[in-house]
Amino acid sequence: RVSALLHEGARLDFSHAMLAVIFASATAFNGPARVPAAARSAVRMDMSASVPFVEKASKLGKGMLGDVGFDPLYLSDSMDLKWLREAELKHGRVCMLAVVGLIAPEFFRLGGPYYDAINPVEAVSKVPAVAWAQILGTIGGIEYFSNSGKMTMADMFTDSARVPGNTGFDPLKMKGAASADLQLKELKNGRLAMLAFGGMLTHCFLTGQPVLQGGLW
């Protein structure tokens, strides 16, 4: 009788073990537990909209015009956002003029030994030092006086009413109902111009040829 009981117990233990193996095999195909939808949304909200594989900078996404969440170097975390926007607008404006300036000498030239080069890289080296001093001095003067001497991140926006990039220059009186739309267009065109200027100048360095005659287009 004892032998029969031991045999029956061993059979039951084996059956329980088999059931456990079958259950584990079945649940293995169910995959990982589903993350609640709210948790998934929270993760997505923390990621950059324009660079979705990096985390969004903490100061972005607050409604600033033209904010698309692009700050992969997290400059806005340690620098003033208004000062960065001022710099972005000014660089964009300069590059919009610079793109025209890279192409215009292929059609119009001032003449003379200093201004006859159509390759912008070559043209830079032809301008005498005195002329460069005048150019840089004029730019520095405009920058200084248009900001009333407040040019650093620490003091440029001590006046809370100051709007980044607003220098009062509006000769065509375009400021009005469509002001926000025009500002966004200026910002986007400036960003495109910065990329275009970098690409054109790289082309000139690599080929030694001007933009159009060098076969870029």
Side-chain angles (χ1 to χ4, degrees):
R1 179 178 296 177
V2 173
S3 177
L5 289 173
L6 290 174
H7 178 72
E8 182 65 18
R11 189 177 67 80
L12 290 173
D13 289 342
F14 178 76
S15 298
H16 291 159
M18 289 299 296
L19 286 172
V21 170
I22 293 171
F23 180 75
S25 301
T27 55
F29 288 97
N30 289 334
R34 290 183 176 273
V35 179
R40 293 199 302 272
S41 298
V43 172
R44 282 197 294 267
M45 286 176 63
D46 290 333
M47 304 307 288
S48 168
S50 57
V51 191
F53 51 86
V54 300
E55 189 176 353
K56 181 184 69 176
S58 59
K59 291 183 182 178
L60 300 185
K62 310 296 184 183
M64 177 177 273
L65 185 70
D67 179 4
V68 294
F70 184 82
D71 186 12
L73 299 180
Y74 301 102
L75 297 176
S76 61
D77 285 351
S78 57
M79 303 176 76
D80 181 57
L81 204 56
K82 285 187 175 182
W83 193 81
L84 290 173
R85 173 51 58 86
E86 176 92 6
E88 180 182 28
L89 282 168
K90 286 184 176 178
H91 281 83
R93 291 166 181 170
V94 168
C95 283
M96 283 190 279
L97 294 172
V99 165
V100 177
L102 287 177
I103 298 174
E106 298 191 43
F107 301 96
F108 311 101
R109 287 186 291 279
L110 296 176
Y114 300 130
Y115 311 107
D116 60 349
I118 60 175
N119 183 344
V121 178
E122 182 184 352
V124 169
S125 63
K126 283 195 169 188
V127 177
V130 174
W132 273 117
Q134 293 174 347
I135 294 170
L136 296 177
T138 302
I139 293 172
I142 293 172
E143 183 72 11
Y144 181 85
F145 289 108
S146 65
N147 288 290
S148 301
K150 298 179 180 180
M151 299 172 61
T152 68
M153 186 164 47
D155 61 9
M156 182 175 282
F157 292 96
T158 51
D159 180 7
S160 59
R162 189 185 187 286
V163 179
N166 184 5
T167 60
F169 182 77
D170 186 18
L172 299 180
K173 308 299 181 183
M174 301 179 72
K175 186 177 180 180
S179 180
D181 181 59
L182 292 174
Q183 289 174 23
L184 183 59
K185 288 178 179 179
E186 179 191 30
L187 191 60
K188 289 184 175 181
N189 279 281
R191 290 169 177 171
L192 178 61
M194 286 187 276
L195 293 173
F197 176 74
M200 290 178 179
L201 201 58
T202 301
H203 163 83
C204 295
F205 270 110
L206 293 179
T207 65
Q209 299 292 327
V211 176
L212 299 182
Q213 296 183 21
L216 181 60
W217 305 106

